[in-house]
Amino acid sequence: MQAVISVENLKKYYKAYEKEPGLKGSLNSIFHRKYKNVNAVDDISFKINEGELVGFIGPNGAGKTTTLKVLSGLLYPTAGKVRVLGHEPFKRERDFQKQFSLIISQKNQLWWDLPAIDSLILNKEIYEISDEKYKKTLDELVEILEVKDLLNMQVRKLSLGQRMKMELIAALIHSPKLLFLDEPTIGLDVVMQKRIRDFIKDYNQKYNSTIILTSHYMVDVKELCKRVVIIDKGKILYDGFLEKIVERFSLQRTINLEFDEQIEKNQLEEWGKIKSFDGFNASLEVKKDSTFRDIAGILEKLPVRDLTVEDPPIEDIIRMVFDRETK
Amino acid sequence: MKKLLAVLKISFKNIFEYRINFLLGQLRQIILLFTLFYLWKNVFSQNSNLFGFNFREIITYVFLVQIIRSIALDTRTDGISDEIAGNGKFFSYLLRPIGYLKYWLTVDFAYKTVNIFFSFLWLFVAAKLLNINLFMQTNYLNLAFFVISVVFSTLIYFFIMSTTSLWAFWTPQVWGAKFALTLLLEFTSGAFFPLNILPTAFQHILNLTPFPYLVYFPASIYLGKVGFLGMISGILIQSMWVLIFYLLNRIIWQKGLRVYMASGG
């Protein structure tokens, strides 16, 4: 199968201008400016196939948004080969532009002083959408996002969540095959986050559209993406199934224990690090490869009533991966 | 073309969304007309003829200037630098299949259309209230050349100002330069006074620049102060300036976009 996106050895370096603080710094900077080299994206490669929903995770400044901008044709790559839907994005060909959408939460393409519907009509003409197609798509989007009454309200009067939905409609009105979503749920309340997530999932499955999503919220990624790409400092640390992250990076497991009678804390110490203990209940952190031996030992020596084994949450593992990189 | 028509429509809606605000802004116009009238009336109380203008001609000139200004020297292109320096809105245009400059020219067109209507209205009201007998040009040739020269003047000004706004690709603080430029343009275009008031040597230098062609030249055509050859050569010079500033705009756009797309974040 032909990949929708193929990126080979992409690099995006740029110079950022640095100013010393204060008035003196400002004066100095008139004569000699200091520049700092930023390697926003540093030699990454990946391929994404049609219908995939891939999550990009990484801390602020990791290079996620920069990558999306390169893929959308907003930034030139410093080096490397990028092909998206058979096009070189930075050429910004009309044919290419009609097939994808980039949604960045701080971006607003809606006209603030007018109802959203006017901006949608503008986009209809810009993307040269036929009347029937426009009506059908609009009806569908409005229904899924439940915003029928809001279309005729001035955009500046909408709440953040409502506006985000309108931005989504404006970005999807030309039925893009490919979608880049940068932090789609940022700043939204939990209910709204869930709605947007459901919507993204639906959009992916219903139209077999290809979606890349970046997010700070692990929930977004966990619920939506089978495949994740972990990025930090412009490099890919991991590219693969989300489930496999645990297998690959986690070195510990947690054993939760409940006892029939009270035991002493020091009775547990030989197996691992005690995370919590109150006499009848305990949480133990043990090495992954010795988990079964440890359990066998505990069962033999202590009056265990109940026992569960947990992998650490994905959030913790990813944090650990980033921490390790920093060191 | 359909795309631009849609831009035109939404721009009109945007203007009329705040009609009260718009009309209040227009109030300035009529106050200005009154002020100009009494100012020049005072000047002409001692003389009947100054710098080759009689009172009726000078009043027609200053009133006509307000019309030309509202068409040619009024532009929304400040929005270009705001959008480029700001976060987000600009690249929403880069993502969509539409030309950015064409888009802004269309937005301007919407505002100018409304301006034409209102500036004629205010002119008419002021002329009636002040009981002024304005000079009416009846020669169709002059009127035709007047219209053409205003269109060219509009394009020159549009390309000058939108090009200036493109400096936002390099620095977010463009307004200082723009403010200075606007002032210079108003002074040297004839928007404050007819340029033949100035010393001849200075006029010769000015004529080498595009500025007198913005206001003074169209107004002179209307008043019949330019001969046939003068009109033809003036229009040719105007079209040359249009071309020069258009090309300059394209070059700076390309270069600016390169800088923008090479930067980070």
Side-chain angles (χ1 to χ4, degrees), chain A residues 43-149:
Chain A
D43 199 1
I44 64 171
S45 305
F46 59 88
K47 274 191 167 48
I48 291 173
N49 291 320
E50 193 178 353
E52 273 196 277
L53 205 174
V54 181
F56 276 26
I57 20 186
N60 284 331
K64 296 170 298 190
T65 309
T66 308
T67 308
L68 291 190
K69 282 185 174 173
V70 172
L71 294 178
S72 312
L74 292 176
L75 298 175
Y76 287 115
T78 309
K81 258 176 76 178
V82 179
R83 299 219 34 111
V84 181
L85 296 162
H87 293 263
E88 285 175 292
F90 65 86
K91 287 188 179 159
R92 295 195 297 116
E93 288 154 311
R94 308 253 130 136
D95 226 30
F96 167 59
Q97 291 184 321
K98 285 185 184 177
Q99 297 185 62
F100 83 96
S101 221
L102 165 71
I103 301 169
I104 291 188
S105 49
Q106 12 133 348
K107 173 194 93 164
N108 48 78
Q109 55 163 303
L110 301 172
W111 289 53
W112 272 65
D113 298 326
L114 295 175
I117 188 77
D118 288 317
S119 298
L120 297 177
I121 293 169
L122 178 65
N123 270 9
K124 169 188 180 291
E125 299 301 339
I126 289 180
Y127 284 106
E128 298 166 293
I129 309 164
S130 74
D131 290 352
E132 307 101 271
K133 182 94 202 305
Y134 167 76
K135 203 179 162 321
K136 193 174 154 264
T137 317
L138 181 62
D139 286 347
E140 242 176 70
L141 292 172
V142 165
E143 202 188 300
I144 307 174
L145 293 169
E146 298 171 25
V147 286
K148 202 171 177 42
D149 321 328

Side-chain angles (χ1 to χ4, degrees), chain A residues 10-17 35-41 65-70 73-78 90, chain B residues 84-87 90-91 94 168-171 254-265:
Chain A
L10 170 68
K11 288 180 188 168
K12 177 70 197 172
Y13 298 169
Y14 61 90
K15 282 192 172 112
Y17 149 59
Y35 289 95
K36 181 176 86 171
N37 282 310
V38 181
N39 302 357
V41 175
T65 309
T66 308
T67 308
L68 291 190
K69 282 185 174 173
V70 172
L74 292 176
L75 298 175
Y76 287 115
T78 309
F90 65 86
Chain B
I84 292 173
N87 218 346
F90 177 64
F91 63 70
L94 290 187
F169 279 126
W170 288 271
T171 164
Q254 290 299 337
K255 284 201 188 291
L257 202 58
R258 267 195 168 269
V259 170
Y260 184 83
M261 289 175 68
S263 72

Side-chain angles (χ1 to χ4, degrees), chain A residues 234-285:
Chain A
K235 292 194 188 295
I236 292 182
L237 304 182
Y238 176 82
D239 177 359
F241 288 117
L242 183 66
E243 304 145 20
K244 296 274 167 75
I245 292 184
V246 180
E247 229 169 86
R248 171 138 166 225
F249 291 103
S250 117
L251 303 170
Q252 265 97 30
R253 276 190 178 133
T254 305
I255 305 177
N256 300 309
L257 295 159
E258 203 187 319
F259 304 106
D260 280 324
E261 50 200 71
Q262 194 163 4
I263 61 155
E264 293 299 318
K265 199 170 178 178
N266 56 23
Q267 288 178 276
L268 286 168
E269 268 163 359
E270 59 177 296
W271 283 289
K273 205 173 124 202
I274 300 164
K275 283 166 74 185
S276 72
F277 178 79
D278 70 358
F280 288 97
N281 297 284
S283 246
L284 267 182
E285 201 176 86

